[in-house]
Amino acid sequence: MTIRCKLTVAALVTSTVAAAALFLSPAPQAQAQGQGRSVTVSGTIYGSLDFAYPGGPAWVGHALISFDKQAPLTATFVDKGWHEFKPNGGMIGGETITLTFDGGTLEILGRFESNLGSTPGLVYLHETGSLANGTGAFAGVSGHVTVQGPAVVPPAGAGAPTWISEIHGVVLGAE
């Protein structure tokens, strides 16, 4: 079942970086009239840091997103951004996560904070962002997301950092 939505999307994404692959398409007249319904969104986003990504390091990976408890849709993502270290060893920064589905792309323009866990290499991410710059089925889509979850950052030379997050939210205006 394909879920199509109009111009407004509100989503809560709980887990890691990415997060929120919404199979949406615009329908301005119907949105203006308030047609459609809201549906739940849940899923998982996971990936790793690719140090050799063209143009500089980027998080890359996959997302599995279910709308209204239907079979999940799959997407790939690329996440590029900037960061600075906090005095406690965590980070703050911003990023653009580009989700690519069959039928279009969608960007999450996010700001994040990460904090060190209580064990070596464990980091927790909290991010909020806006959905923007959609193409294809996602053209004209907007909304907001929250991403939370753990990452593992091994010592230099011991492998690439990895990340996984759980996604929960709501899409408004579904047909």
Side-chain angles (χ1 to χ4, degrees):
M1 174 178 173
T2 300
I3 302 296
R4 293 195 151 330
C5 297
K6 291 148 188 98
L7 293 174
T8 304
V9 176
L12 170 62
V13 180
T14 322
S15 194
T16 302
V17 70
L22 307 175
F23 197 67
L24 311 169
S25 65
Q29 295 89 2
Q31 181 64 32
Q33 297 168 1
Q35 297 176 357
R37 60 188 179 95
S38 63
V39 298
T40 59
V41 177
S42 62
T44 304
I45 185 167
Y46 56 97
S48 62
L49 187 57
D50 182 350
F51 292 103
Y53 192 81
W59 289 92
V60 297
H62 302 274
L64 305 170
I65 307 297
S66 176
F67 297 91
D68 208 20
K69 300 182 181 178
Q70 299 298 313
L73 302 176
T74 60
T76 59
F77 76 84
V78 174
D79 175 354
K80 295 193 65 100
W82 62 272
H83 70 274
E84 58 186 62
F85 288 97
K86 301 186 311 183
N88 70 358
M91 294 184 297
I92 59 172
E95 59 194 6
T96 300
I97 302 165
T98 303
L99 296 157
T100 302
F101 295 87
D102 287 340
T105 63
L106 183 60
E107 289 182 346
I108 299 171
L109 309 176
R111 301 282 295 189
F112 68 87
E113 176 180 29
S114 68
N115 293 295
L116 301 178
S118 61
T119 59
L122 185 60
V123 177
Y124 289 96
L125 171 77
H126 176 78
E127 179 170 1
T128 60
S130 298
L131 303 177
N133 304 321
T135 66
F138 301 94
V141 170
S142 65
H144 301 280
V145 296
T146 300
V147 178
Q148 297 184 58
V152 176
V153 181
T162 59
W163 156 74
I164 186 169
S165 291
E166 187 177 324
I167 299 170
H168 299 282
V170 176
V171 176
L172 304 175
E175 293 180 346

